[in-house]
């Protein structure tokens, strides 16, 4: 039975991939300096430089959970057409959105007992759910059912590595990822933490690097040691308005092993508010996290 692939605006997928792979995006609501807004996943229309400049200037971004009704409103029309649904969402370790999706899925499967709604916890953010949504589309093209795709994706989640560094620890301080004293000392000492999504989907520190250059080198080193079958996979890089460094990282990645597809995009605004300008991230499949 064919299925429709859904993700949300946090997935960071560029428009060409969304269209090419027929992936639907759920909107994410927010307020920026108390002005309400909605991000529909359209990176072509997202002025990342202006957005991250606002954050640099002190603008306050507040994000909202996607609620169950939103999921039901988007999933139900597909079920009514006889389509099953696979949704890949933001990590349950950093957001309650996934639980809202699960509640909606349970209600809808009671309403449509012949249909399947599969909710997949990416245990990640940004291109974490994005790459898995792409894999869901690949599996659909291979003829897998929604249930089969869900099983495969939940196994692949364990191999999805999400490594990033930030330029300003104060953005992590605002969301409780580091303490105030750590942020202050790190700023003074030019400490650039290397972070990742751990096996439970929480963001934790891998190591501390003295300076930006060493942080980028550390990301490259992890790719060198942990990537599996890199030449046959889709690898992604996202950045918080630091395109030159993103391209540098891409060049270093290709020197090790050029992936089948390498995607470079500005990091979307929804989770970008939590990591701030200068965030640089690499997403790939590798040894189990």
């Amino acid at each position: 039975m064919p299925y429709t692939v859904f993700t949300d605006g946090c997935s960071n997928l560029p428009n060409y991939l969304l269209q090419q792979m027929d992936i639907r995006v759920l909107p994410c609501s927010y307020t920026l300096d108390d002005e309400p807004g909605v991000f529909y996943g359209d990176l072509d229309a997202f002025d990342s430089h202006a957005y991250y400049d606002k954050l640099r200037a002190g603008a306050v971004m507040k994000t909202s959970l996607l609620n169950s009704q939103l999921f039901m409103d988007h999933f139900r029309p597909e079920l009514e057409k006889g389509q099953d649904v696979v949704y890949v969402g933001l990590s349950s370790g950093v957001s309650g959105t996934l639980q809202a999706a699960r509640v909606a899925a349970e209600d809808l499967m009671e309403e449509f007992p012949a249909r399947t709604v599969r909710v997949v916890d990416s245990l990640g953010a940004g291109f974490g759910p994005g790459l898995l949504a792409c894999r869901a589309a690949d599996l659909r093209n291979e003829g897998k059912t929604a249930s089969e795709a869900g099983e495969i994706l939940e196994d692949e989640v364990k191999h999805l590595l999400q490594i990033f560094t930030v330029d300003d620890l104060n953005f992590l301080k605002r969301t409780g990822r580091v303490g105030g004293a750590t942020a202050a000392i790190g700023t003074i000492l030019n400490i650039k933490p290397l972070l990742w999504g751990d096996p439970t989907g929480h963001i934790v520190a891998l190591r501390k690097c003295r300076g930006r250059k060493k942080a980028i080198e550390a990301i490259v080193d992890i790719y060198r040691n942990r990537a599996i079958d890199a030449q046959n996979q889709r690898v992604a890089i996202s950045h918080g308005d630091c395109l030159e460094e993103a391209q540098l990282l891409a060049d270093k990645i290709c020197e090790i092993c050029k992936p089948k597809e390498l995607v470079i995009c500005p990091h979307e605004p929804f989770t970008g508010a939590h990591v701030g300008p200068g965030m640089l991230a690499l997403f790939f499949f590798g040894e189990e996290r």
Side-chain angles (χ1 to χ4, degrees):
M1 178 62 63
Y3 58 86
T4 303
V5 179
F6 281 93
T7 185
D8 53 56
C10 299
S11 66
N12 222 114
L13 292 173
N15 292 32
Y16 79 88
L17 271 180
L18 293 172
Q19 295 168 8
Q20 174 185 313
M21 309 197 79
D22 190 19
I23 297 171
R24 313 288 178 85
V25 179
L26 299 176
C28 297
S29 300
Y30 64 87
T31 60
L32 184 61
D33 280 344
D34 296 324
E35 288 293 325
V38 180
F39 180 62
Y40 292 94
D42 185 356
L43 284 177
D44 287 351
F46 172 47
D47 188 340
S48 60
H49 177 66
Y51 173 75
Y52 284 106
D53 258 358
K54 288 180 180 178
L55 295 186
R56 291 183 183 101
V60 177
M61 173 82 156
K62 296 180 180 179
T63 57
S64 303
L65 298 179
L66 280 66
N67 60 51
S68 295
Q69 189 60 51
L70 179 71
F71 287 106
M72 296 181 74
D73 290 344
H74 283 79
F75 293 172
R76 181 179 283 108
E78 299 304 307
L79 302 175
E80 290 173 341
K81 291 187 294 187
Q83 293 278 108
D84 291 334
V85 166
V86 174
Y87 167 71
V88 183
L90 182 65
S91 170
S92 60
V94 298
S95 170
T97 289
L98 202 84
Q99 182 56 32
R102 287 173 172 156
V103 169
E106 291 176 4
D107 289 347
L108 287 169
M109 284 193 289
E110 287 185 9
E111 184 179 344
F112 299 91
R115 299 270 61 83
T116 296
V117 181
R118 192 64 184 253
V119 175
V120 178
D121 186 350
S122 71
L123 296 178
F127 270 116
L131 289 184
L132 287 167
C134 289
R135 281 292 294 135
D138 290 337
L139 293 167
R140 177 181 57 196
N141 293 340
E142 293 171 12
K144 303 297 185 185
T145 66
S147 293
E148 290 169 338
E151 293 297 323
I152 293 169
L153 291 171
E154 287 179 2
D155 181 66
E156 292 189 352
V157 164
K158 296 179 288 187
H159 296 275
L160 180 58
L161 300 181
Q162 307 157 86
I163 316 297
F164 68 101
T165 188
V166 297
D167 195 45
D168 186 345
L169 284 165
N170 286 303
F171 286 92
L172 288 170
K173 182 188 74 173
R174 292 175 194 172
T175 55
R177 301 302 174 194
V178 299
T182 299
I185 293 171
T187 301
I188 294 170
L189 298 178
N190 195 28
I191 298 296
K192 305 300 179 186
L194 201 66
L195 304 112
W196 77 318
D198 74 3
T200 66
H202 293 83
I203 296 172
V204 298
L206 272 177
R207 66 184 75 163
K208 297 176 182 177
C209 304
R210 183 66 66 86
R212 183 77 164 184
K213 182 178 178 181
K214 288 187 177 180
I216 295 174
E217 289 173 351
I219 295 174
V220 173
D221 189 54
I222 291 172
Y223 178 80
R224 179 185 294 109
N225 293 327
R226 301 194 65 173
I228 296 174
D229 194 27
Q231 68 272 16
N232 291 315
Q233 66 165 285
R234 184 179 291 113
V235 172
I237 294 171
S238 65
H239 64 91
D241 194 31
C242 52
L243 178 58
E244 288 186 6
E245 289 178 315
Q247 189 58 60
L248 173 64
L249 177 58
D251 292 343
K252 290 180 177 293
I253 291 304
C254 289
E255 287 174 5
I256 297 169
C257 182
K258 187 174 182 180
K260 180 179 180 180
E261 183 177 358
L262 180 58
V263 184
I264 304 175
C265 279
H267 196 77
E268 46 79 19
F270 203 73
T271 61
H274 301 284
V275 290
M279 189 282 306
L280 183 62
L282 176 68
F283 303 81
F284 64 96
F285 291 93
E287 295 177 357
E288 188 169 332
R289 52 172 157 166

